[in-house]
Amino acid sequence: MAAQSSSTQQLLRYSVKLIFAEEELSAGLKLNSPSQTALQLEVQLGDEDADVTVTDADGVCVFKCLVSRDTEYCRVGKQSLLITVGYNSALILFKSQSEYSTFSDALKKCHNKNKEGSVFSQRTDEASALQYFQFYGYLSQQQNMMQDFVRTATYHRAILQNDVDFVDKVVLDVGCGSGILSFFAVQAGARKVYAVEASTVAKHAELLVRSNNLSDKIVVLSGKIEEISLPENVDVVISEPMGYMLFNERMLETYLHSKKWLKTRGMMFPTFSDIHLAPFSDEQLYMEHFSRANFWYQECFYGVNLSSLRTAAVDEYFRQPIVDTFDTRILMAQTVKYTVNFLEAAEEDLHRVEIPFVFQMTHSGLIHGLAFWFDVAFVGSLVTVWLSTAPTEPLTHWYQVRCLLQTPLFVKEGESLSGKVLLVANKRQSYDIHIVAMVDETGIKSSNILDLKNPVFR
């Protein structure tokens, strides 16, 4: 074995034998005959992955793959390694256990370096990520989203009615889930679709691709877009990255990160989003929140006085945004709009989002909080298609979100309410929502800090 190094990469060489294996659905792995002559394996260690190439005595490449933290490989016996790429596997037999060990250690170092350096890992708590990907790994959750007619039909219409943007193009589907958007892209004429999915539902997406005879069109890549590599740049990026109140789950940042694979003047579906907010009056909702804390008023709960915790309970309940829908007659002013242009925005722009507002009151009464919803636009060459979660539109699985003020504000018709909403990203894949509002004519203020990660579903 010889080793060479440079400032950025290290080259390792080994003498090996190779056995190819083919996966059969009923029989598992079927091993073919091993190579009769020694082959040369070269490993080019990069910052985030390892380029593995096996050549014969004439220098002809017989096996090549890129090993990243998401590549499946395992030890077999004392000095062999099984690498699986897609539906093909190769068993690499080393001359000695020591050579296997140096090769394996090199891959582990590359794997750990990739994990530590991942943008996703840096911004996300490991426990939060585990829960997140487990949730989206369930087919029942995929079904819930797919059965949202407004969501699925709008994506289908946006892609198919702009087929000129997909014909013979290379497409990246970020967080593909079941792969439904990838299938839409192929229906619109895409030449190749790279469907990236980090949860275990990726295996189900692969099965759908195979059973629909589209393996030559759709390539499912298991992993995070921040950590995987694509073999080429793409013409179009498609995704469904919106969470409650648009920003929850912080997948918008993943969507923006995917632009590193987008060609110059490439397209993004969706293209931009508008988040809308307006003050509302809802005495019943406000009292419901207070009454939830009445449990802690009890002075003799099985002989225990709970009343000392009521204030803490009220604070906790008012930190919860409410996910539901409502009659627009509770709104007390015209909405204020904040736009995120996905083609222009950077990931860092979403770490701290500040939305100033000034509302002119159209009604007199008590303001109990602010209501939020969003629209996204798919700007194609032929038509622009909108997906709206507004309370005036058919209901979606995003509903609307309302954030209560702890102290309501009294306003008169014609007065103005000014302030700001500040969303600060956290490592739990969500945001802390800071709201400050003031009635300009009286100077009376109210505020609240809410945890978007912990909403209440009404």
Side-chain angles (χ1 to χ4, degrees):
M1 176 194 73
Q4 300 175 347
S5 63
S6 66
S7 59
T8 59
Q9 293 187 323
Q10 184 179 17
L11 180 63
L12 305 176
R13 291 193 179 97
Y14 305 88
S15 180
V16 300
K17 288 190 176 182
L18 197 63
I19 300 178
F20 287 105
E22 296 176 352
E23 185 178 357
E24 296 182 351
L25 292 177
S26 59
L29 287 178
K30 176 183 178 182
L31 296 177
N32 294 327
S33 300
S35 55
Q36 298 301 313
T37 58
L39 305 171
Q40 178 167 275
L41 181 148
E42 288 190 356
V43 185
Q44 192 88 36
L45 297 176
D47 292 332
E48 297 185 350
D49 46 40
D51 194 353
V52 176
T53 305
V54 180
T55 56
D56 61 17
D58 297 322
V60 177
C61 178
V62 296
F63 178 76
K64 185 177 179 67
C65 72
L66 195 66
V67 179
S68 69
R69 64 168 301 210
D70 298 303
T71 304
E72 296 180 23
Y73 63 88
C74 64
R75 182 174 182 171
V76 178
K78 292 183 177 180
Q79 58 197 60
S80 300
L81 188 86
L82 182 67
I83 297 180
T84 300
V85 181
Y87 293 99
N88 298 313
S89 299
L91 184 66
I92 302 173
L93 295 79
F94 291 83
K95 291 176 64 176
S96 66
Q97 187 174 349
S98 63
E99 289 198 358
Y100 163 80
S101 296
T102 58
F103 175 78
S104 178
D105 288 345
L107 291 187
K108 287 178 182 177
K109 289 179 182 178
C110 184
H111 176 281
N112 291 334
K113 184 187 296 183
N114 182 282
K115 183 176 181 180
E116 293 168 2
S118 163
V119 174
F120 181 88
S121 297
Q122 290 175 8
R123 74 166 189 250
T124 311
D125 282 340
E126 189 173 346
S128 176
L130 182 64
Q131 182 185 46
Y132 176 78
F133 291 119
Q134 183 181 43
F135 177 76
Y136 283 107
Y138 292 117
L139 284 175
S140 57
Q141 179 56 27
Q142 297 297 321
Q143 179 178 337
N144 178 53
M145 295 185 292
M146 294 168 72
Q147 286 183 324
D148 182 336
F149 174 78
V150 174
R151 167 195 180 272
T152 305
T154 302
Y155 268 88
H156 186 259
R157 185 169 70 255
I159 293 171
L160 272 291
Q161 289 186 357
N162 288 292
D163 57 332
V164 296
D165 298 321
F166 291 85
V167 172
D168 294 328
K169 298 297 175 61
V170 179
V171 178
L172 170 60
D173 183 356
V174 181
C176 71
S178 64
I180 189 65
L181 303 186
S182 297
F183 287 101
F184 293 168
V186 171
Q187 290 171 11
R191 172 170 58 86
K192 180 73 72 175
V193 181
Y194 295 103
V196 179
E197 174 58 45
S199 79
T200 55
V201 82
K203 64 184 179 183
H204 298 302
E206 285 193 32
L207 182 57
L208 283 180
V209 170
R210 295 173 70 184
S211 63
N212 282 272
N213 300 313
L214 288 174
S215 297
D216 60 328
K217 296 280 189 180
I218 302 174
V219 178
V220 178
L221 299 174
S222 179
K224 305 177 184 71
I225 197 68
E226 294 88 350
E227 298 167 5
I228 60 99
S229 294
L230 297 182
E232 58 184 321
N233 287 339
V234 303
D235 301 289
V236 186
V237 178
I238 57 176
S239 184
E240 193 268 78
M242 301 85 73
Y244 294 120
M245 203 169 146
L246 181 62
F247 297 103
N248 191 41
E249 296 180 343
R250 295 187 66 180
M251 193 181 163
L252 286 177
E253 290 162 74
T254 293
Y255 185 45
L256 297 181
H257 186 91
S258 70
K259 289 193 290 185
K260 68 182 183 182
W261 298 109
L262 187 62
K263 295 177 182 177
T264 303
R265 294 185 294 278
M267 307 185 76
M268 299 184 76
F269 275 48
T271 315
F272 68 87
S273 180
D274 293 330
I275 186 166
H276 301 266
L277 55 152
F280 71 88
S281 181
D282 192 336
E283 183 73 21
Q284 180 180 349
L285 177 66
Y286 186 80
M287 295 310 299
E288 275 181 21
H289 250 46
F290 255 113
S291 63
R292 291 172 64 202
N294 286 343
F295 170 84
W296 300 98
Y297 253 149
Q298 299 180 80
E299 296 182 356
C300 189
F301 181 76
Y302 293 91
V304 179
N305 187 343
L306 305 179
S307 60
S308 61
L309 294 182
R310 185 183 183 271
T311 299
V314 170
D315 291 341
E316 178 180 315
Y317 295 146
F318 272 83
R319 278 180 55 83
Q320 290 186 281
I322 299 104
V323 178
D324 69 348
T325 190
F326 52 81
D327 190 316
T328 56
R329 287 176 293 183
I330 70 170
L331 301 180
M332 301 184 70
Q334 294 297 312
T335 64
V336 166
K337 180 178 72 174
Y338 181 87
T339 300
V340 180
N341 187 321
F342 301 132
L343 283 169
E344 299 175 357
E347 294 172 70
E348 296 76 18
D349 296 337
L350 301 187
H351 293 173
R352 181 184 173 92
V353 179
E354 185 170 328
I355 308 174
F357 59 79
V358 177
F359 296 109
Q360 299 299 319
M361 294 299 108
T362 57
H363 301 84
S364 299
L366 285 175
I367 296 174
H368 293 103
L370 298 179
F372 299 82
W373 61 90
F374 66 86
D375 306 325
V376 293
F378 303 83
V379 182
S381 297
L382 299 180
V383 65
T384 295
V385 176
W386 286 89
L387 168 59
S388 178
T389 67
T392 54
E393 299 297 322
L395 195 61
T396 71
H397 77 284
W398 288 286
Y399 297 91
Q400 292 89 42
V401 175
R402 288 188 281 174
C403 297
L404 288 170
L405 297 168
Q406 279 217 12
T407 303
L409 290 169
F410 178 74
V411 293
K412 295 180 180 178
E413 182 180 349
E415 292 184 334
S416 61
L417 181 77
S418 64
K420 69 178 180 180
V421 177
L422 176 64
L423 295 107
V424 181
N426 57 51
K427 287 196 169 186
R428 294 175 293 117
Q429 294 173 275
S430 194
Y431 286 80
D432 297 314
I433 308 167
H434 302 253
I435 299 176
V436 178
M438 180 180 72
V439 181
D440 294 336
E441 285 75 10
T442 63
I444 299 175
K445 292 184 178 180
S446 186
S447 62
N448 199 7
I449 301 175
L450 300 97
D451 180 6
L452 186 55
K453 178 75 172 184
N454 184 35
V456 59
F457 296 90
R458 188 167 177 256

